[in-house]
Amino acid sequence: MGIPRFLKKFFADPNFQRKKAFLKSLELFTDLDNSDLGHLVQSLHSRTYHPGEVLFVEGDIGRALFILESGRVELTRADNGGKERVIYTLEPGEFFGEMALLEQLPRTASARATEKSQLHLLYRSKLEGILHYYPKIGVSIMTHLAQILSARLRRMTNAAAPEERTKAANG
C-alpha cells in the first residue's frame, strides 16, 4: 500500500528535516533515532520571538521547556530592590525552563529575546503524551534531564565555599 502522499510531503518538508537535524545535535536528544526525532518534532510548538519580546516572567507557572535554535535570549531576576539583573544569556543550541517538565512551580527568572529568535517549546502536556505513546522517547528525555540537572547541582555544590559544603552535608 505504501505511505500516503500527504505524509510523504510532510516528511520531505525541509523545515521538518531541519528541525530533526537541529534536535539531533542537542545533548538532550542524542539517544533518539530518526523515527523518534520525527515524533518529537511533531510534538514541538515552534515560535519566533522578536527583540524585547518576553517569553515568560519570573513567578509565572512553568509549562514548557524552551529550546533556542537561533537568536539570543536573556534570563533575568529581580534583585532585592526590584531591579532586573541579567543572570545568563542563552546562545543557539541551549535550552531552558526544563524544570517545568518536572513540576509546575513558579518560574525563578524572566526570559526575554534580545534579538529575533527561533524557539521550539516542549509543553509538559506534550511530554506526558510522549511518555504514554512513545515511552522510549520520554524515558530518554527524562534520563538526560536528570543527568543535566545532576551535573548542574554538582557544579553549584563544588563552587560553594568549603564551609558551606560542610554545613550542607551535615544538614
Side-chain angles (χ1 to χ4, degrees), residues 12-137:
D13 176 16
N15 283 328
F16 183 81
Q17 297 303 327
R18 178 189 50 76
K19 287 178 190 176
K20 278 179 33 179
F22 169 68
L23 294 176
K24 183 66 175 173
S25 73
L26 303 178
E27 177 186 357
L28 188 57
F29 307 120
T30 54
D31 291 344
L32 301 181
D33 64 25
N34 204 32
S35 174
D36 296 337
L37 289 167
H39 292 300
L40 182 59
V41 166
Q42 293 176 62
S43 297
L44 296 177
H45 173 77
S46 298
R47 174 141 185 237
T48 300
Y49 290 87
H50 299 283
E53 191 172 355
V54 174
L55 286 68
F56 56 80
V57 176
E58 186 175 350
D60 286 353
I61 299 299
R63 291 185 173 82
L65 161 81
F66 291 75
I67 305 165
L68 181 60
E69 183 173 358
S70 65
R72 285 195 174 56
V73 172
E74 283 183 343
L75 298 179
T76 61
R77 288 186 85 174
D79 64 16
N80 292 337
K83 185 176 181 190
E84 287 208 350
R85 303 272 185 213
V86 175
I87 56 173
Y88 190 75
T89 300
L90 294 135
E91 302 286 333
E94 292 186 284
F95 60 89
F96 56 101
E98 62 278 356
M99 295 303 289
L101 296 180
L102 305 174
E103 53 191 5
Q104 290 183 307
L105 293 175
R107 299 275 190 192
T108 58
S110 297
R112 176 180 291 111
T114 59
E115 59 188 61
K116 186 175 179 182
S117 302
Q118 180 67 35
L119 289 106
H120 305 289
L121 288 71
L122 177 59
Y123 285 95
R124 180 186 175 115
S125 58
K126 291 291 189 174
L127 179 61
E128 289 169 355
I130 290 171
L131 283 163
H132 181 76
Y133 293 106
Y134 306 101
K136 176 185 166 231
I137 299 170

